[in-house]
Amino acid sequence: SVGPFAIIKEIAPDKLILKRAQNSGKLTVTATISNGGKAVTQSAVIATTEPKHDAWIARTPEKDEKPVEGQFYAREENGEGTLFYNGTLAEAAGSVFLKLYADGKLVKTETAKVGAGRSYALSTKLKPGLIKYQVEFGTGDKVLETVGDLVCGDAYIIDGQSNALATDTGEQSPPETNEWIRSYGRPSQNPKDNEGNLWCLPVWKAQSGEKAELGWWGMELAKRLLASQKVPIFMINAAVGGTRIDQHQRNMEDPTDLTTIYGRMLWRVREAKLTHGIRGIIWHQGENDQGSDGPTGGYGWETYHPFFVDMSAGWKQDFPNVRHYYVFQIWPNSCSMGGREGSGDRLREKQRTLPQLFSNMSIMSTLGVRPPGPCHYPLAGWSEFARLLQPLIERDFYGTVPAAPVTAPNLVRVSFAGRAKDTIALEFDQPVVWEDTLAGQFYLDGENDKVASGKVAGNVLTLKLKEPSAAKTITYLKEIQWSQDTLLNGKNGIAALTFCEVPIETSSR
């Protein structure tokens, strides 16, 4: 075992290979061996430090790679995209050329000598922006091929289950598209169906045979980023409704296995030539992990962290330049699949603490989203997902410096304030707002009606108890009894993340 933070690793018959850490700190590697007798355990601690910035990994183009009509190119670390034009000539020639047009105007001409076997390799840089590119390829003064409707911008992935897919609703909306929002078609397990050009203008919900859908809030987020940043947006929605996190794992023997959720997602990104251009991955999932129907026979919260770590290890290997993960904490008792001995509360706690395992993860709450969604949200509620995500993405990728916090308030530390043990101090990562009606939403060792009042000073919420307590843990908001009208909110108006059975420290003062 390796922990406490996320690691990309490989287990061989006689060794453990540590490939890449996704956080910094003291890493503990523990080996336990038992052949029927008493187990023997040994551990080693490794001081681990991530680089401030990952080195950009360039994608190696294929020998016969050419652009196709409607293709999207992701900008790279230098702020530009790279278009490759490689192949083999049908007839002998001394040199080839590639002319680049931006909105119909010739801006660049690249030339190259023809190599052995009449092979050639050309490339040109594309500036991101609301620009339609076209290329002409040829020899001498003869144009052999022309490809147009090419754009350059930023690429993202959405993954998870039905509230990430965001199409399961009876509400109607036109299947609008946008010339600056691109996606790549979903694959079929029949290889013949995957031939041809699958580049497309996606819709939010496929109703008439469209090649790709982004879901309601995926389309809304793409439109928001397009409007604010003035660059084309590529997005793939790889979510599948009603799935557990173990069903999203990577097939190590065949990563693009089209019978798997992960394989279909990776196939689309690879075919789009965007494996090295994905900037961020957005995850909304967990409804189906609240129960006890997982692969181990236990509750989903018990294995959520290791499954997420392994899944994200696949992401980082297949999309090596990904810079940030965005995760939602699901609705309490979402889709009525929690409520079993607090399994849903514990699942949300696992989601809340996921960012402790990663250096590049943000988590957003959903329980404050209106209109609400005990299971699936109405379109207006899903639109809130996009509104909440936009400032985070603009902060992380576009240099926006928000005037106030744009994240959901998250508990940092909790302790008894003083020796009397009748006061508890909860430190958050930002200021929160106290309402007297919140007293009943806090549980000490699983019991409520213990809090008399509360007050806030800076980032610290202090709870005055009705009597001294020897409680070991504190929980905020249980899925069996809660209301959207009784929520702890940040000063920024975003609902605080729920927490479950967090140990209460004893103050030394």
Side-chain angles (χ1 to χ4, degrees):
S1 64
V2 185
F5 48 86
I7 290 291
I8 300 172
K9 65 184 186 296
E10 178 184 338
I11 300 175
D14 62 341
K15 64 182 62 122
L16 171 69
I17 303 168
L18 304 180
K19 294 184 173 182
R20 210 272 189 201
Q22 299 208 66
N23 207 343
S24 299
K26 291 183 178 180
L27 181 71
T28 300
V29 182
T30 301
T32 300
I33 299 176
S34 174
N35 59 1
K38 184 179 180 180
V40 177
T41 298
Q42 289 193 2
S43 296
V45 178
I46 303 171
T48 306
T49 304
E50 283 189 293
K52 290 184 178 180
H53 301 285
D54 281 354
W56 183 268
I57 299 176
R59 182 180 66 87
T60 302
E62 299 172 8
K63 291 183 179 180
D64 59 350
E65 180 173 326
K66 300 180 182 67
V68 295
E69 198 80 15
Q71 187 164 345
F72 176 102
Y73 289 86
R75 58 172 153 184
E76 301 161 7
E77 189 174 38
N78 63 2
E80 295 180 315
T82 304
L83 181 153
F84 295 100
Y85 213 113
N86 303 338
T88 304
L89 291 173
E91 299 179 357
S95 64
V96 291
F97 68 81
L98 182 67
K99 293 183 177 181
L100 176 68
Y101 295 83
D103 290 334
K105 180 180 178 181
L106 180 63
V107 292
K108 196 182 302 182
T109 300
E110 308 284 356
T111 60
K113 293 182 179 180
V114 176
R118 300 199 296 272
S119 65
Y120 60 87
L122 289 159
S123 67
T124 190
K125 295 294 184 181
L126 307 178
K127 292 182 179 180
L130 303 184
I131 306 165
K132 292 285 186 70
Y133 289 103
Q134 177 180 298
V135 291
E136 291 180 345
F137 167 79
T139 61
D141 58 358
K142 183 180 180 182
V143 175
L144 300 177
E145 297 168 339
T146 300
V147 184
D149 194 22
L150 309 173
V151 297
C152 177
D154 298 327
Y156 301 91
I157 291 173
I158 294 173
D159 199 4
Q161 58 179 110
S162 56
N163 275 310
L165 188 61
T167 58
D168 190 0
T169 174
E171 292 182 85
Q172 298 298 313
S173 182
E176 65 171 314
T177 61
N178 188 299
E179 62 180 333
W180 304 111
I181 298 174
R182 304 289 169 99
S183 192
Y184 200 82
R186 293 167 296 187
S188 167
Q189 293 188 34
N190 181 356
K192 290 185 178 181
D193 295 338
N194 298 328
E195 297 174 356
N197 184 359
L198 294 183
W199 282 102
C200 62
L201 303 180
V203 294
W204 80 270
K205 181 177 183 177
Q207 297 172 314
S208 304
E210 292 89 352
K211 295 178 182 178
E213 57 188 7
L214 301 188
W216 182 262
W217 64 261
M219 179 63 84
E220 290 297 297
L221 179 60
K223 290 192 295 186
R224 281 175 169 268
L225 294 175
L226 169 62
S228 68
Q229 301 305 316
K230 301 296 188 292
V231 294
I233 299 295
F234 171 90
M235 197 171 283
I236 276 180
N237 191 323
V240 177
T243 53
R244 302 182 309 267
I245 192 171
D246 63 281
Q247 295 172 284
H248 288 260
Q249 300 301 302
R250 183 180 192 260
N251 181 345
M252 303 299 288
E253 302 299 322
D254 181 11
T256 54
D257 177 1
L258 294 183
T259 67
T260 67
I261 298 170
Y262 192 103
R264 293 191 293 273
M265 171 188 68
L266 179 57
W267 183 91
R268 295 172 73 184
V269 181
R270 280 190 180 178
E271 290 297 306
K273 309 294 189 293
L274 288 172
T275 50
H276 292 56
I278 299 299
R279 287 182 159 235
I281 300 175
I282 305 163
W283 176 258
H284 188 295
Q285 190 274 342
E287 294 91 335
N288 274 67
D289 291 275
Q290 296 172 102
S292 58
D293 57 347
T296 64
Y299 286 100
W301 66 269
E302 297 166 327
T303 53
Y304 202 80
H305 275 191
F307 274 128
F308 192 98
V309 168
D310 288 346
M311 179 180 65
S312 68
W315 291 347
K316 187 62 179 173
Q317 291 177 92
D318 292 321
F319 315 121
N321 297 314
V322 65
R323 291 295 190 257
H324 213 87
Y325 307 132
Y326 302 91
V327 177
F328 283 96
Q329 187 187 57
I330 63 171
W331 185 273
N333 195 21
S334 188
C335 301
S336 300
M337 299 180 73
R340 306 168 193 173
E341 301 180 3
S343 59
D345 298 328
R346 295 187 180 102
L347 187 280
R348 294 196 315 282
E349 174 67 9
K350 289 298 182 181
Q351 292 178 327
R352 182 186 75 87
T353 54
L354 270 175
Q356 297 175 10
L357 312 185
F358 296 84
S359 61
N360 59 344
M361 178 182 288
S362 298
I363 183 166
M364 181 57 67
S365 60
T366 58
L367 71 167
V369 168
R370 294 178 184 270
C375 188
H376 297 149
Y377 294 75
L379 297 184
W382 274 331
S383 292
E384 286 294 285
F385 285 33
R387 183 186 68 82
L388 291 167
L389 279 175
Q390 180 184 357
L392 298 177
I393 293 173
E394 291 179 341
R395 176 199 65 186
D396 296 332
F397 294 117
Y398 302 110
T400 301
V401 179
V406 292
T407 55
N410 196 356
L411 183 66
V412 176
R413 179 174 177 265
V414 56
S415 63
F416 281 107
R419 299 183 182 277
K421 290 193 173 183
D422 62 353
T423 306
I424 296 178
L426 297 93
E427 180 185 347
F428 289 83
D429 60 0
Q430 59 181 283
V432 295
V433 178
W434 173 260
E435 300 286 348
D436 290 339
T437 53
L438 288 167
Q441 297 303 314
F442 291 87
Y443 297 76
L444 301 182
D445 287 348
E447 297 182 0
N448 69 345
D449 198 28
K450 302 293 184 181
V451 177
S453 62
K455 63 178 181 179
V456 174
N459 290 8
V460 178
L461 166 61
T462 302
L463 300 179
K464 182 67 176 177
L465 306 183
K466 292 182 178 180
E467 59 185 19
S469 174
K472 302 296 184 183
T473 66
I474 187 169
T475 294
Y476 160 61
L477 198 147
K478 283 194 174 185
E479 61 187 4
I480 58 174
Q481 186 176 0
W482 74 284
S483 168
Q484 265 202 322
D485 297 325
T486 312
L487 296 178
L488 180 66
N489 292 306
K491 274 194 173 181
N492 60 4
I494 300 175
L497 298 166
T498 68
F499 49 87
C500 179
E501 298 171 346
V502 176
I504 306 173
E505 302 174 13
T506 301
S507 174
S508 59
R509 291 177 293 177

